Amino acid sequence: MKKRKIPMRKDLLTDTMQPKKELVRIVVDKEKNVSVDPTGKKSGRGAYVSLEPDKIAAAQKSKVLERSLGVKVSDDFYQELFEYVDHQKARKELFGDKK
C-alpha cells in the first residue's frame, strides 16, 4: 500500500515545520477581521500556530501574529485563541489523534 503524504506547515511561534493537523490556522479576511479557522478552508491570509497555550501568551507579547498578518490583533482575539488552543490540546490528550 502506498504511503500518504502528510501536509506540513510552518509554525509561526516555534519557527518549525509541523504536520498541518497539529496546528491551528489564523486567518485575516478582506475586511481585516482576524479569526480562528478550525477547518483550514476560510478565504484570506492565513498563518499557522501550534497547540501550545504558553506559546500564545509569548506570541501576544512579541506581536508575531500582527507582523505576519499585517493587521492589529486585539487582546480579545488572543484570549479567544488561548481558550481554543487550550481546549484542543486537552481534547487531543484525552482522545488521542482523533479529531
Side-chain angles (χ1 to χ4, degrees), residues 30-75:
K30 290 181 180 178
E31 289 80 34
K32 305 288 186 206
N33 298 323
V34 182
S35 61
V36 175
D37 182 11
T39 63
K41 296 180 181 182
K42 285 185 180 178
S43 63
R45 173 134 175 89
Y48 290 86
V49 295
S50 60
L51 295 174
E52 294 294 328
D54 56 331
K55 301 277 187 195
I56 302 301
Q60 186 173 5
K61 289 180 184 174
S62 66
K63 300 187 186 291
V64 68
L65 281 176
E66 293 181 5
R67 286 194 307 268
S68 176
L69 299 173
V71 19
K72 176 86 173 108
V73 179
S74 70
D75 290 337

Side-chain angles (χ1 to χ4, degrees), residues 5-96:
K5 182 182 171 194
I6 298 172
M8 302 290 280
R9 298 292 182 264
K10 188 171 189 173
D11 177 11
L12 269 181
L13 309 180
T14 61
D15 208 30
T16 59
M17 296 296 284
Q18 295 184 14
K20 186 177 175 183
K21 283 190 172 188
E22 294 178 13
L23 302 171
V24 63
R25 185 170 184 248
I26 311 301
V27 68
V28 175
D29 60 15
K30 290 181 180 178
E31 289 80 34
K32 305 288 186 206
N33 298 323
V34 182
S35 61
V36 175
D37 182 11
T39 63
K41 296 180 181 182
K42 285 185 180 178
S43 63
R45 173 134 175 89
Y48 290 86
V49 295
S50 60
L51 295 174
E52 294 294 328
D54 56 331
K55 301 277 187 195
I56 302 301
Q60 186 173 5
K61 289 180 184 174
S62 66
K63 300 187 186 291
V64 68
L65 281 176
E66 293 181 5
R67 286 194 307 268
S68 176
L69 299 173
V71 19
K72 176 86 173 108
V73 179
S74 70
D75 290 337
D76 292 338
F77 176 74
Y78 278 110
Q79 184 62 35
E80 176 188 339
L81 178 61
F82 181 82
E83 290 169 4
Y84 178 82
V85 166
D86 193 42
H87 173 76
Q88 289 300 326
K89 184 177 181 184
R91 182 178 174 165
K92 190 172 187 175
E93 289 171 357
L94 195 62
F95 297 114

